[in-house]
Amino acid sequence: MKDLSRVLFSLSHDIVNIVRSAKVAGKIQKVATLWIRNKVSDFKYHEGVGPTFSGSHELFAKEEWDWISITQVIKPEIEKLPSYADAYRHILDIYGINEAQAKFYVDRFVDHIINEVLNENAKEEALVEIITTFINDLEGNPLIWNAVIEVEGLWLKDEEVELAKGIKVRRPMPSDLEFEEPFGSLISLFSPLFNVPSAIIEATLRMKNLSDVLDELEKLIVALRLYKLGSIIRGRVMLRPRSVIQSQMRIGGFVEISPIIYRYSLSSEDSHKIQAFLNKIKPLLPVSRGRIQIVDHVSIALQRYNDALFKSDFVERLTYAVMGLEALFLNQQEREELARRLAQRVAKCLSVFGYSPLEVYEIIKKSYDIRSTFVHGALIKEEKQTPVSKLADKVMEYLRISLLMFLELEGKVKKEHLIKIIDNSLLSQEYQTKLENLIKGNCEITLMLVK
């Protein structure tokens, strides 16, 4: 049996000959279709906000190869080739897949070669690259995914900042907001002019499948929300896999405009710190199937934190933040003196990070009382609303630091044992030292962020 790569080489050369002959004979032609173009002008990037610009639309005719005639005239000829049948049989024999799947794979390969010929790119090195990529697909090896992610809630002091190897965040450019699409497509009917990102993340990832890529991108967004207090929203994601079988795709968008409560900036000075942060925290995040999976006290608190980041009502925001702290610092069986226990434990741990324990204690006590009032259906008096807004900001920061601490302590100490150490540290210098050693010995990222 011939080697699969040789079979594919034979098929690709046959395709090149058929398509070139069809072009010369006029069997396939270009047709003009109506497209819409969005143009950006007066583009400016504002610190603290993001870009502003003016936009306009214009219709234009675009000539493209008529794929209807290609499908009806050229592809039937290709399917009659001995090399087509040879490739089909080889894939069936080698990979043990069903006939429908094998035919789909070969047809994807055929379409790629046809495209190269139509675009005058069918040089030998281009064919080699397509064949190599196709075999990599069939073998189920990891793919190179180039991702472009629009985000809101994060702005840049510099043009771009490196987040990790193969991942950078940059300021948007006019070209990011311009598009050309067939007239009548969804994107042309719903212009992205109202979906303006404040930053663009570009990532090159090596992953096996789409679900792994989406998990990695969601971990990145969740981690960025933890690096600083940030209501960061992921908008559209453009994915371009280096693949013959997988297609490029556009996912999501700012469908529901969530309020941006907390914004923060990044500069080139953050680069080293944020790289260390992401390397440590991202693998610890309980994200699967593109969302936070509720599996334990840490994931519950993380979900409360994420919910709170987008609550425009500060009483709700405060309530969710306190609930997140409760998930971390209270045991399930505890029923009495919850406000005092929670306040003491949070204050004790945060004191190791340099916070004033008395201030933290008083803020948590007040916040717990407000949370209880709200949960039981009472309204917060108007004269107390401004102090509550400031309390919410403080408690959100306490929850952020506590979450990072618990993530770094994951696998080092169980929750019940940690709470016992915290409680005993209030009475014993020995346990005070044990708590400090536990945190300082394992929570270097959290310590780095609060310095």
Side-chain angles (χ1 to χ4, degrees):
M1 182 183 289
K2 295 179 184 177
D3 177 77
L4 177 59
S5 61
R6 291 174 60 195
V7 172
L8 293 173
F9 266 118
S10 177
L11 174 59
S12 63
H13 285 125
D14 289 342
I15 295 170
V16 169
N17 292 332
I18 287 175
V19 177
R20 283 177 176 168
S21 298
K23 286 174 69 177
V24 171
K27 292 181 180 179
I28 54 174
Q29 295 177 341
K30 286 186 174 181
V31 294
T33 56
L34 190 60
W35 280 56
I36 187 169
R37 178 187 290 124
N38 173 63
K39 295 294 290 181
V40 167
S41 58
D42 302 321
F43 181 91
K44 293 180 182 178
Y45 190 88
H46 303 276
E47 291 194 355
V49 182
T52 59
F53 59 93
S54 299
S56 61
H57 296 85
E58 62 180 10
L59 295 174
F60 66 100
K62 185 174 183 178
E63 284 196 339
E64 297 179 290
W65 289 103
D66 180 17
W67 272 88
I68 294 177
S69 62
I70 291 170
T71 302
Q72 293 175 346
V73 177
I74 303 302
K75 293 187 77 172
E77 287 187 42
I78 293 171
E79 290 172 3
K80 294 175 184 176
L81 290 168
S83 56
Y84 179 92
D86 209 3
Y88 179 78
R89 285 195 299 269
H90 268 70
I91 291 172
L92 277 177
D93 292 340
I94 295 170
Y95 298 103
I97 56 179
N98 62 55
E99 290 190 17
Q101 196 73 58
K103 182 157 192 320
F104 170 76
Y105 289 162
V106 175
D107 286 343
R108 291 290 293 163
F109 176 80
V110 169
D111 288 344
H112 271 69
I113 301 297
I114 291 174
N115 245 329
E116 293 299 299
V117 183
L118 295 176
N119 294 315
E120 306 293 342
N121 293 326
K123 296 179 181 178
E124 198 72 11
E125 56 267 28
L127 299 180
V128 170
E129 184 175 347
I130 292 174
I131 291 167
T132 303
T133 302
F134 184 50
I135 292 175
N136 187 69
D137 283 335
L138 294 172
E139 293 290 332
N141 296 325
L143 307 177
I144 302 297
W145 299 76
N146 293 312
V148 177
I149 309 104
E150 298 177 346
V151 296
E152 171 64 308
L154 173 68
W155 62 276
L156 300 181
K157 292 182 178 179
D158 299 311
E159 289 297 323
E160 68 177 46
V161 176
E162 187 176 9
L163 300 179
K165 185 178 181 181
I167 304 177
K168 70 177 182 180
V169 60
R170 61 171 174 80
R171 289 182 175 185
M173 298 180 289
S175 58
D176 295 311
L177 307 173
E178 295 177 330
F179 69 88
E180 292 181 357
E181 293 284 339
F183 181 70
S185 67
L186 286 177
I187 190 75
S188 66
L189 293 174
F190 299 99
S191 166
L193 292 179
F194 298 104
N195 300 336
V196 183
S198 59
I200 303 284
I201 296 173
E202 294 182 351
T204 301
L205 305 172
R206 185 175 174 81
M207 300 279 171
K208 269 201 168 186
N209 51 55
L210 176 61
S211 61
D212 292 339
V213 173
L214 295 179
D215 282 352
E216 190 67 15
L217 296 182
E218 183 63 16
K219 286 180 181 180
L220 178 60
I221 297 299
V222 173
L224 288 173
R225 291 171 183 164
L226 287 166
Y227 179 68
K228 296 180 184 178
L229 203 55
S231 306
I232 296 174
I233 306 173
R234 185 185 73 185
R236 292 183 303 175
V237 178
M238 280 68 78
L239 293 174
R240 296 179 178 86
R242 194 175 299 170
S243 168
V244 170
I245 294 173
Q246 296 273 4
S247 302
Q248 69 178 41
M249 62 202 79
R250 179 164 39 204
I251 301 170
F254 303 117
V255 179
E256 296 181 8
I257 305 300
S258 300
I260 307 297
I261 310 300
Y262 302 107
R263 296 177 184 271
Y264 72 79
S265 66
L266 287 177
S267 71
S268 55
E269 294 178 359
D270 288 284
S271 188
H272 177 74
K273 184 186 289 188
I274 197 168
Q275 287 182 51
F277 171 82
L278 291 174
N279 286 338
K280 177 70 181 289
I281 295 300
K282 203 149 56 75
L284 301 175
L285 295 173
V287 171
S288 179
R289 297 191 290 276
R291 61 187 178 87
I292 297 169
Q293 296 296 312
I294 305 301
V295 294
D296 59 9
H297 59 287
V298 178
S299 55
I300 291 171
L302 182 60
Q303 185 62 64
R304 296 288 180 266
Y305 175 77
N306 273 267
D307 292 339
L309 284 172
F310 303 100
K311 296 294 181 185
S312 55
D313 183 284
F314 42 76
V315 178
E316 278 191 271
R317 193 157 68 247
L318 177 67
T319 298
Y320 274 84
V322 172
M323 290 167 63
L325 290 171
E326 288 181 271
L328 295 176
F329 289 99
L330 293 180
N331 284 320
Q332 186 177 355
Q333 68 274 13
E334 291 181 312
R335 295 290 183 270
E336 297 177 352
E337 297 185 307
L338 299 183
R340 179 187 62 79
R341 292 174 193 258
L342 180 64
Q344 284 183 338
R345 291 167 184 169
V346 176
K348 192 64 181 178
C349 285
L350 292 189
S351 70
V352 181
F353 297 102
Y355 289 84
S356 165
L358 186 58
E359 180 185 0
V360 174
Y361 178 84
E362 292 297 334
I363 287 174
I364 297 296
K365 281 271 288 182
K366 288 178 185 176
S367 300
Y368 191 91
D369 289 343
I370 294 168
R371 169 255 189 224
S372 298
T373 300
F374 180 74
V375 167
H376 293 111
L379 297 176
I380 305 301
K381 294 180 180 179
E382 188 173 345
E383 62 270 17
K384 292 185 178 180
Q385 290 184 1
T386 299
V388 171
S389 176
K390 293 179 180 178
L391 283 177
D393 295 342
K394 289 277 190 181
V395 178
M396 284 294 293
E397 184 64 16
Y398 297 162
L399 176 56
R400 184 181 76 91
I401 297 301
S402 299
L403 269 168
L404 293 174
M405 181 190 79
F406 270 83
L407 284 167
E408 290 201 89
L409 290 175
E410 193 84 13
K412 309 290 193 311
V413 59
K414 291 185 177 180
K415 174 184 175 179
E416 293 76 12
H417 186 51
L418 175 60
I419 289 176
K420 181 180 178 181
I421 294 173
I422 298 169
D423 288 346
N424 288 345
S425 70
L426 298 168
L427 305 170
S428 164
Q429 182 58 47
E430 178 187 350
Y431 276 90
Q432 165 75 19
T433 302
K434 185 177 290 190
L435 178 65
E436 290 179 0
N437 290 341
L438 181 65
I439 292 174
K440 291 180 179 179
N442 295 285
C443 302
E444 63 273 14
I445 294 298
T446 312
L447 287 161
M448 176 187 72
L449 292 186
V450 296
K451 283 182 180 178

